[in-house]
Amino acid sequence: ISSERVQIPVDKIGDMKDFSQINQDKFDCVNLKDVIEHIEKESLVELLSDIRKTLKSDGFIIVSCPQICGFTSLFTLYDDYTHKTLFTENSLRYVLNAAGYTRIEIIKPRRPLTLNPLRIISKIVRLAWFMVVKLIYYLERPGEGMPSVPGDRIACVSWKK
């Protein structure tokens, strides 16, 4: 991303560990949109922990990434060769907890109501698919927390403390 495109200063970070040491308690918010699915699982907790160090005491992180229970999730995973993994609500919470984040809140998408017939059909198909996924989840894992966000994307906000 260039500074001209987003009209704010953009720094490229070479090594997150060095960056986090230099920039401890500096940022109010870090937004990771379409980032964590590209990170090897073995490195993800350490990366998120290093990012946590750069947040002010009341700082927070926003994470948005592909979700595995979407209708096109497998296509999303394999269409981009650089994707390493997709997430569920539980796996996203797990990795953020392991990195030391607290108060993790899943952001429910708000899709505007539209009278476009194609969008209405698309929404019905996506919701029907999500209900099938929830039913399968319930049958295979009774008593466990089921996914609550339909679609192929998931987002959350989590605070440093």
Side-chain angles (χ1 to χ4, degrees), residues 144-155:
E144 291 186 24
M146 291 195 298
S148 65
V149 178
D152 64 345
R153 309 241 358 118
I154 188 169

Side-chain angles (χ1 to χ4, degrees), residues 1 7 15 19-20 29 37-39 46-47 51 53-54 56 68 77 87 97 99 102 105 120 136 138 148:
I1 294 180
Q7 299 178 353
D15 180 20
F19 182 83
S20 68
C29 175
E37 67 271 18
H38 299 275
I39 308 299
E46 183 178 5
L47 173 77
I51 291 171
K53 292 173 188 172
T54 69
K56 293 179 181 176
I68 192 64
L77 176 62
F87 292 84
N97 272 325
T102 60
E105 295 179 11
I120 292 171
I136 292 168
Y138 175 76
S148 65

Side-chain angles (χ1 to χ4, degrees), residues 16 27-33 51-52 54-55 59-63 101:
M16 190 61 211
F27 301 106
D28 295 310
C29 175
V30 171
N31 185 359
L32 296 180
K33 183 177 188 309
I51 291 171
R52 186 176 174 274
T54 69
L55 293 172
F60 60 96
I61 188 171
I62 300 169
V63 178
Y101 292 89

Side-chain angles (χ1 to χ4, degrees), residues 65-143:
C65 60
Q67 176 177 225
I68 192 64
C69 69
F71 194 63
T72 59
S73 293
L74 287 178
F75 177 80
T76 301
L77 176 62
Y78 292 109
D79 186 47
D80 183 341
Y81 186 71
T82 64
H83 283 172
K84 306 296 183 201
T85 190
L86 299 183
F87 292 84
T88 66
E89 291 174 46
N90 289 337
S91 65
L92 187 55
R93 285 181 201 277
Y94 177 87
V95 74
L96 287 164
N97 272 325
Y101 292 89
T102 60
R103 212 175 104 214
I104 300 162
E105 295 179 11
I106 300 298
I107 300 170
K108 308 265 191 219
R110 292 188 200 149
R111 294 187 176 92
L113 181 62
T114 178
L115 298 178
N116 179 324
L118 192 55
R119 292 218 177 188
I120 292 171
I121 291 169
S122 173
K123 186 171 187 161
I124 290 169
V125 168
R126 272 189 267 118
L127 286 174
W129 172 253
F130 188 63
M131 296 308 289
V132 168
V133 168
K134 284 180 81 166
L135 176 63
I136 292 168
Y137 197 94
Y138 175 76
L139 293 173
E140 289 184 350
R141 298 170 170 236

